[in-house]
Amino acid sequence: MNKIFEELSVGMSAQETRLCREEDLIIFANASGNFNPLHVPDQDGDGDGAPESIAPAMWVASLISGVLGNRLPGPGTLYKSQDLKFLGQAKAGETLIASVEIISKGPDREIVLHTVVETTEGRRIVEGEAVVIAPNIKIELDAEHVPGLLVQRHVHFDRLLAKAEPLPAFATAVVAPEEPDALAGALLGGEHTLIDPILIGDPAKIAAAAEACGKDISGYQIVPEFTHKSAAARAVAMVHEGAAKAIMKGHLHTDVLLGQIVKREGGLRGARRLSHVYVMDVPGVDHLLMITDAAINITPDLKTKADIVQNAIDLANAIGVPEPKVGILSAVETVNPAIPSTLDAAILSKMAERGQITGGLVDGPLAMDNAIDLHSARTKGITSLVAGKADILVAPNLEAGNMLAKELTFLAHADAGGIVMGASCPIILTSRADSEHARLASCAIAALYVGARG
């Protein structure tokens, strides 16, 4: 509740505490149009090799407005003037205290206040004097109906890249990088020392793709193969020979590539069925979210689903999630014989309990809401170590998984990397729709998996 002019007296004070987050600096940059790299997280504004993340002085000063508008005098207050003296700088990660104190009252509901912003350690950042018009009617603050903001950042992928880049680059057979987007993705992974690309395909087409995207490929090994099938076969052979530790899809159909990988004689079959795992960085979600299988197994049976789950857990372990929580999805969270996916989910959960699936916590059936939202799970009375906190979402079939992954990508602005698991080496699948960040993330995921396998 605010204080109207008659309720105010000299010496009254109020304060608010605020953590300066990197997201605040991004929001302020967009709102103000000030994209000074000194103030934008992850950018180096002074050339010293490290980002500064200095809070803009006017963002710090705006915290004073928050105290005036929320606390003293409160809702209904209008600024007349504000003078400011900047005494220091604040950075993302610091907690700031904005304080105001009334020093005089004047005619026409005018109030003068001393204003200060300082750190919790007492280091003063801003001081000054505000003149405001105090409210004349009682107003209660209701912030619940103010729209929230979602910052489209992909900090989880940034951490993956930081973790993978120190690892030694591993030889990767890139199959048919004969279009600019396919070639650029492979070269980007090479530039970041994640992979060492070996380009397999038609040399003339690869050269044309390099020219189109402005890349110099003179330092890369090129293996001539003039059909997509023969290029895929050559990549598989290079893995058998020890010349490559991973395969990356270029500009060819996925089934042509996988056809050579799953061949019974000379392929790269492992002990389990192949499955694809999307690793997604979804803005607003505080951890990586993995979705499987959305690319290979169309209508998996129970045995295949068990392999899909184990593949995803193995990948999660490799990228730094020691005991991932696996939600087996269906339309409902109760077992219903009329919905076969609920039966599979219940069996998979029991298999994990009995040690037939290892390395993670598995529960299902779970509907999408109670798999990822703790409030939804509690509302429905679900008691589970997984419900509301799933790291891995296992779709009942390829259609559901593919739609889920693409909805997150195109509606929730997620970046999606990922690899094929279950073969004797990781298979990096990229799409023309992938952002550069997503392409790099796929390479980083493969690098971490190769590193974990030794």
Side-chain angles (χ1 to χ4, degrees), residues 71-377:
R71 301 289 300 277
L72 185 72
T77 300
L78 291 173
Y79 255 126
K80 286 192 73 177
S81 66
Q82 171 82 61
D83 66 42
L84 299 166
K85 188 174 184 180
F86 297 101
L87 306 172
Q89 296 172 341
K91 292 191 174 185
E94 290 192 287
T95 300
L96 305 177
I97 302 170
S99 308
V100 303
E101 182 180 354
I102 297 175
I103 54 179
S104 69
K105 295 179 68 175
D108 300 321
R109 308 201 316 271
E110 186 176 284
I111 301 292
V112 181
L113 305 98
H114 180 58
T115 59
V116 173
V117 181
E118 57 190 4
T119 67
T120 50
E121 291 79 23
R123 183 168 57 87
R124 190 159 291 193
I125 308 297
V126 180
E127 66 180 12
E129 190 172 281
V131 181
V132 302
I133 299 172
N136 62 349
I137 59 171
K138 299 297 285 184
I139 303 173
E140 188 168 352
L141 180 66
D142 181 9
E144 287 188 7
H145 300 294
V146 178
L149 297 175
L150 182 63
V151 177
Q152 294 178 30
R153 297 187 74 203
H154 299 102
V155 294
H156 305 308
F157 275 4
D158 291 341
R159 294 191 191 104
L160 277 185
L161 289 170
K163 189 174 180 180
E165 283 187 341
L167 298 173
F170 57 97
T172 300
V174 185
V175 183
E178 299 167 348
E179 290 291 331
D181 55 350
L183 178 62
L187 299 185
L188 189 64
E191 290 163 7
H192 284 259
T193 68
L194 297 168
I195 65 173
D196 182 11
I198 301 169
L199 310 178
I200 307 174
D202 185 325
K205 292 180 179 178
I206 294 172
E211 184 176 356
C213 62
K215 296 290 186 179
D216 178 9
I217 58 171
S218 59
Y220 292 94
Q221 180 183 353
I222 299 176
V223 178
E225 291 289 348
F226 296 93
T227 70
H228 290 172
K229 183 177 180 180
S230 66
R234 185 73 191 103
V236 170
M238 291 183 75
V239 173
H240 282 297
E241 294 162 5
K245 289 189 175 181
I247 292 175
M248 185 174 190
K249 175 180 175 287
H251 187 73
L252 77 164
H253 289 296
T254 301
D255 57 353
V256 174
L257 176 61
L258 295 181
Q260 297 300 310
I261 291 168
V262 300
K263 285 172 61 177
R264 292 192 180 277
E265 297 295 330
L268 298 174
R269 286 172 176 264
R272 294 195 292 266
R273 284 289 295 267
L274 268 62
S275 62
H276 183 268
V277 186
Y278 273 117
V279 181
M280 309 198 76
D281 191 336
V282 186
V285 177
D286 63 2
H287 58 88
L288 286 168
L289 190 64
M290 301 170 70
I291 295 172
T292 191
D293 176 6
I296 295 179
N297 296 285
I298 299 173
T299 52
D301 58 17
L302 179 63
K303 184 178 184 304
T304 301
K305 285 184 179 181
D307 287 347
I308 288 170
V309 173
Q310 190 64 65
N311 284 342
I313 291 173
D314 289 352
L315 181 58
N317 293 160
I319 65 173
V321 185
E323 192 177 44
K325 300 174 180 66
V326 184
I328 313 297
L329 295 181
S330 186
V332 295
E333 63 280 350
T334 54
V335 175
N336 183 342
I339 306 177
S341 61
T342 66
L343 301 175
D344 287 348
I347 295 169
L348 291 167
S349 300
K350 181 57 70 174
M351 289 174 70
E353 282 184 26
R354 299 280 175 89
Q356 293 173 267
I357 297 172
T358 61
L361 301 172
V362 181
D363 194 19
L366 293 171
M368 182 66 182
D369 56 347
N370 47 63
I372 61 170
D373 184 77
L374 195 55
H375 175 73
S376 296

